[in-house]
C-alpha cells in the first residue's frame, strides 16, 4: 500500500500497519516460546497474557473455544510454546499474538503421555468419587510422605502442632523430584499404610515447574494411592498445579499447609465446640426436666380432678347445699301457707255469723230454715224462728186487720 497524503489519522495509521502485517504470510502461522506473565482467565473462557523473555514481551490472546482444547491449565511463570498468528488490534494500535494452540516448552511428549495415562486410569475407575474414603472424625496419628529438606515438611509439622499438639506425626522422607522419586513416594505410602497406628496419610511437596512435579504423575504413585487402605490427602505444589496423585487421592489440598489444616482440627475450635455441645446438652436436659415436671403437675391435677373421693366429697357438698336449699324452700312454703291460713282464719272469723250474734244481733229464720232478710219476706209466714247468741225462740206473727190499718191511716 502506498501513502499518498503527507499526514495520516490515527485510524489510517493503524489500518495501514494492520494491512502490512496481514499481508505477510510468515506471520499467519508462527510459534513463539516464552514465559507466561500477566495471566488472566475471564469468565467468558478467554485467556489474556503476555509471553516474555529476558529482553522483550508480546501480548497474547486465546479465545475460549481454543482454550477448551488445552490439556493443562496455564499459569503465571509457566514456560510455553504458543502457535498462532500475529495481527493488529486497530482500536488501540497494539499488535498481538492470537494463540491457536499451546503446550509447555520442552515437555510436549510428557503431556501426551500424561493425557494417555489419565485416560487409562479414568477407565479403570481410579478417579471415581464413589471409591474415595472419608477422613476419620478423630485423628490421632498422621503419616507424612515428602522431602525431608523442603519447606513442605516444616509447614505440615508446624501447622499440625499449632492446631492440635496431641496429634502424632510419623514422617517418611522421600525424594519428590528427579530419578527414583516416584518409587520412593510409592514406597513411603505403602510403608505408612501398613501401620495400624496411622489414621491418615499426607503425600505432597511444595510448588515447582511441571518437570519438578512429574513424579506425582507416575503410575507407581497412582497405584500406591489407589490401593492404600488409609485415606490419602494429596498436597502437591500450588493450587493451580493438578497432578494424577491429586485426582486419585481421597482428598486434595491446595498446599501442604492446607493439607495439615484438613487433618488437624483446631484444638481451640474443638474445645469451644465441645463446650457449646455441653451447654446445648445441659440446656436441652434442663428443658426436658422442666417439661417433665410440668407434665407431672398436669397429670396430678388431672388425677385430682378425676379422684373418686374428691368427686364424692364434691357431690356430698352439692347434696348438702341442695338439702339446705330444699329445707329452706319447704320452710318458706310452710311459712307462706301458715300466713295465708291465718289470714283466711281471720276472714272466716270476721264473716262468722256467731260473731255478729255476740254483738247483740239476731238472725231470723223461716220455718224452712231460710234466712229472712226483709219484713216482706217475714209477712209470708205465720211462724218464724229467731236465733240469738244464747239460743233460739219461736215467734208467732199476728196480721193486722184492715180496720186497724184504716184507723192508722186516719190517725
Amino acid at each position: 500500500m502506498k501513502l499518498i497524503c503527507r499526514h495520516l489519522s490515527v485510524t489510517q495509521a493503524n489500518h495501514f500497519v494492520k494491512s502490512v502485517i496481514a499481508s505477510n504470510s510468515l506471520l499467519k502461522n508462527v510459534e513463539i516460546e516464552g514465559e507466561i506473565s500477566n495471566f488472566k482467565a475471564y469468565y467468558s473462557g478467554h485467556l489474556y497474557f503476555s509471553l516474555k523473555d529476558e529482553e522483550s514481551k508480546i501480548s497474547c490472546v486465546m479465545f475460549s473455544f481454543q482454550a477448551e482444547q488445552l490439556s493443562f491449565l496455564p499459569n503465571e511463570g509457566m514456560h510455553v510454546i504458543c502457535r498462532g498468528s500475529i495481527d493488529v488490534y486497530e482500536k488501540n494500535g497494539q499488535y498481538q499474538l492470537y494463540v491457536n494452540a499451546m503446550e509447555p516448552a520442552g515437555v510436549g511428549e510428557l503431556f501426551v503421555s500424561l493425557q494417555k495415562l489419565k485416560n487409562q486410569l479414568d477407565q479403570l475407575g481410579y478417579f471415581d468419587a464413589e471409591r474415595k474414603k472419608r477422613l476419620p472424625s478423630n485423628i490421632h496419628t498422621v503419616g507424612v510422605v515428602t522431602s525431608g529438606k523442603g519447606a513442605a515438611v516444616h509447614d505440615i509439622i508446624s501447622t499440625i502442632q499449632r492446631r492440635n499438639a496431641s496429634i502424632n506425626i510419623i514422617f517418611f522422607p522421600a525424594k519428590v523430584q528427579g530419578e527414583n522419586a516416584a518409587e520412593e513416594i510409592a514406597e513411603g505410602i505403602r510403608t505408612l499404610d501398613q501401620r495400624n497406628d496411622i489414621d491418615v496419610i499426607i503425600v505432597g511437596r511444595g510448588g515447582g515447574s511441571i518437570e519438578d512435579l512429574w513424579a506425582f504423575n507416575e503410575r507407581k504413585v497412582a497405584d500406591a494411592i489407589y490401593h492404600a487402605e488409609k485415606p490419602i490427602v494429596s498436597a502437591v505444589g500450588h493450587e493451580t498445579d493438578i497432578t494424577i496423585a491429586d485426582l486419585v487421592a481421597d482428598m486434595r489440598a491446595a498446599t501442604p499447609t492446607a493439607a495439615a489444616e484438613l487433618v488437624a482440627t483446631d484444638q481451640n475450635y474443638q474445645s469451644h465446640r465441645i463446650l457449646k455441645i455441653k451447654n446445648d446438652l445441659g440446656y436441652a436436659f434442663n428443658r426436658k426436666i422442666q417439661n417433665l415436671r410440668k407434665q407431672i403437675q398436669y397429670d396430678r391435677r388431672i388425677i385430682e380432678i378425676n379422684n373418686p373421693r374428691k368427686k364424692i366429697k364434691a357431690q356430698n357438698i352439692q347434696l348438702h347445699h341442695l338439702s339446705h336449699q330444699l329445707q329452706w324452700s319447704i320452710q318458706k312454703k310452710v311459712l307462706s301457707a301458715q300466713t295465708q291460713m291465718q289470714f283466711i282464719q281471720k276472714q272466716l272469723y270476721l264473716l262468722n255469723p256467731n260473731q255478729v250474734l255476740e254483738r247483740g244481733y239476731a238472725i231470723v229464720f223461716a220455718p224452712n230454715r231460710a234466712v229472712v232478710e226483709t219484713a216482706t219476706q217475714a209477712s209470708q209466714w205465720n211462724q218464724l224462728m229467731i236465733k240469738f247468741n244464747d239460743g233460739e225462740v219461736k215467734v208467732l206473727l199476728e196480721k193486722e186487720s184492715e180496720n186497724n190499718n184504716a184507723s192508722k191511716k186516719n190517725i
Side-chain angles (χ1 to χ4, degrees):
M1 178 182 289
K2 295 183 179 179
L3 297 177
I4 301 176
C5 56
R6 293 181 180 178
H7 61 272
L8 300 173
S9 66
V10 175
T11 301
Q12 288 174 334
N14 285 343
H15 182 70
F16 175 75
V17 174
K18 179 178 176 64
S19 63
V20 171
I21 292 177
S23 63
N24 191 328
S25 59
L26 296 177
L27 299 178
K28 292 181 180 180
N29 187 14
V30 296
E31 290 187 0
I32 299 179
E33 180 178 347
E35 179 183 326
I36 294 178
S37 65
N38 299 322
F39 180 80
K40 294 181 181 179
Y42 288 89
Y43 289 112
S44 60
H46 304 326
L47 306 180
Y48 294 89
F49 56 96
S50 298
L51 283 181
K52 68 177 182 177
D53 54 22
E54 295 179 355
E55 298 181 358
S56 185
K57 69 177 181 179
I58 182 173
S59 298
C60 303
V61 58
M62 190 174 195
F63 295 118
S64 59
F65 65 92
Q66 293 158 332
E68 291 173 356
Q69 307 302 319
L70 293 175
S71 60
F72 68 101
L73 180 62
N75 56 71
E76 191 77 14
M78 182 178 288
H79 201 68
V80 296
I81 297 175
C82 295
R83 299 181 183 87
S85 61
I86 295 178
D87 203 346
V88 174
Y89 183 53
E90 290 188 60
K91 187 174 182 179
N92 59 8
Q94 179 182 2
Y95 85 94
Q96 55 189 8
L97 176 64
Y98 290 85
V99 180
N100 300 323
M102 183 192 307
E103 66 180 31
V107 291
E109 294 182 1
L110 290 178
F111 269 92
V112 172
S113 62
L114 174 62
Q115 191 61 41
K116 182 178 180 181
L117 180 57
K118 280 185 179 180
N119 294 335
Q120 291 176 354
L121 297 179
D122 189 22
Q123 292 177 359
L124 293 174
Y126 275 48
F127 307 150
D128 292 348
E130 294 78 8
R131 55 154 291 276
K132 294 184 181 295
K133 297 176 284 295
R134 300 183 63 179
L135 298 183
S137 56
N138 293 317
I139 296 177
H140 302 286
T141 304
V142 177
V144 179
V145 179
T146 188
S147 172
K149 299 179 181 179
V153 64
H154 172 75
D155 293 341
I156 292 173
I157 293 175
S158 61
T159 300
I160 292 177
Q161 291 180 342
R162 173 175 53 82
R163 291 172 64 84
N164 193 338
S166 64
I167 293 179
N168 299 318
I169 302 173
I170 298 177
F171 174 57
F172 187 98
K175 293 177 62 177
V176 293
Q177 68 183 68
E179 188 177 359
N180 298 325
E183 288 79 359
E184 291 190 17
I185 295 170
E187 180 62 23
I189 295 172
R190 288 190 294 267
T191 300
L192 296 180
D193 187 55
Q194 292 174 359
R195 296 186 56 136
N196 295 327
D197 56 343
I198 290 180
D199 301 307
V200 63
I201 300 172
I202 296 175
V203 180
R205 58 154 292 161
S209 66
I210 191 64
E211 296 94 335
D212 295 336
L213 305 178
W214 198 257
F216 293 91
N217 289 318
E218 295 283 352
R219 175 67 183 265
K220 295 176 182 179
V221 175
D223 288 340
I225 295 174
Y226 180 77
H227 293 293
E229 295 182 0
K230 303 291 193 305
I232 305 294
V233 178
S234 175
V236 180
H238 299 297
E239 187 172 0
T240 55
D241 299 323
I242 300 178
T243 63
I244 287 181
D246 294 321
L247 300 176
V248 182
D250 299 296
M251 185 172 291
R252 175 183 180 259
T255 63
T257 300
E261 292 175 347
L262 284 175
V263 301
T265 305
D266 192 341
Q267 205 166 27
N268 292 330
Y269 168 78
Q270 196 74 6
S271 299
H272 289 304
R273 185 170 178 269
I274 292 173
L275 180 61
K276 183 179 183 303
I277 293 174
K278 180 180 178 181
N279 292 335
D280 291 344
L281 288 175
Y283 173 77
F285 179 78
N286 291 333
R287 185 161 188 174
K288 185 68 175 179
I289 294 298
Q290 291 177 359
N291 291 336
L292 289 175
R293 286 177 178 172
K294 290 181 180 179
Q295 184 64 41
I296 291 173
Q297 292 176 356
Y298 174 78
D299 293 340
R300 283 180 177 175
R301 287 197 297 270
I302 296 298
I303 292 174
E304 290 177 359
I305 292 173
N306 297 322
N307 189 345
R309 292 182 180 179
K310 192 169 184 178
K311 283 189 174 182
I312 293 173
K313 183 178 180 181
Q315 290 177 353
N316 287 335
I317 293 174
Q318 186 177 9
L319 181 62
H320 178 74
H321 178 70
L322 292 175
S323 176
H324 178 74
Q325 284 187 333
L326 180 61
Q327 290 178 1
W328 184 81
S329 179
I330 292 173
Q331 290 177 356
K332 185 177 180 181
K333 289 286 187 182
V334 170
L335 181 63
S336 177
Q338 289 176 348
T339 303
Q340 187 175 7
M341 184 178 294
Q342 290 175 357
F343 176 77
I344 293 173
Q345 288 177 347
K346 186 175 181 181
Q347 293 296 321
L348 289 175
Y349 176 80
L350 293 175
L351 295 175
N352 189 355
N354 293 329
Q355 297 296 327
V356 178
L357 296 179
E358 289 180 358
R359 295 197 299 271
Y361 292 94
I363 301 173
V364 179
F365 295 96
N368 59 1
R369 300 300 294 179
V371 177
V372 177
E373 297 178 354
T374 64
T376 302
Q377 292 178 348
S379 63
Q380 297 177 0
W381 306 95
N382 295 323
Q383 182 179 329
L384 297 174
M385 181 71 70
I386 299 174
K387 182 177 181 180
F388 295 96
N389 182 42
D390 55 351
E392 294 183 356
V393 177
K394 290 183 180 179
V395 295
L396 297 176
L397 297 179
E398 292 181 359
K399 294 183 179 180
E400 294 181 349
S401 63
E402 292 180 359
N403 294 326
N404 290 332
N405 289 334
S407 60
K408 287 179 180 181
K409 291 179 180 180
N410 292 326
I411 294 171

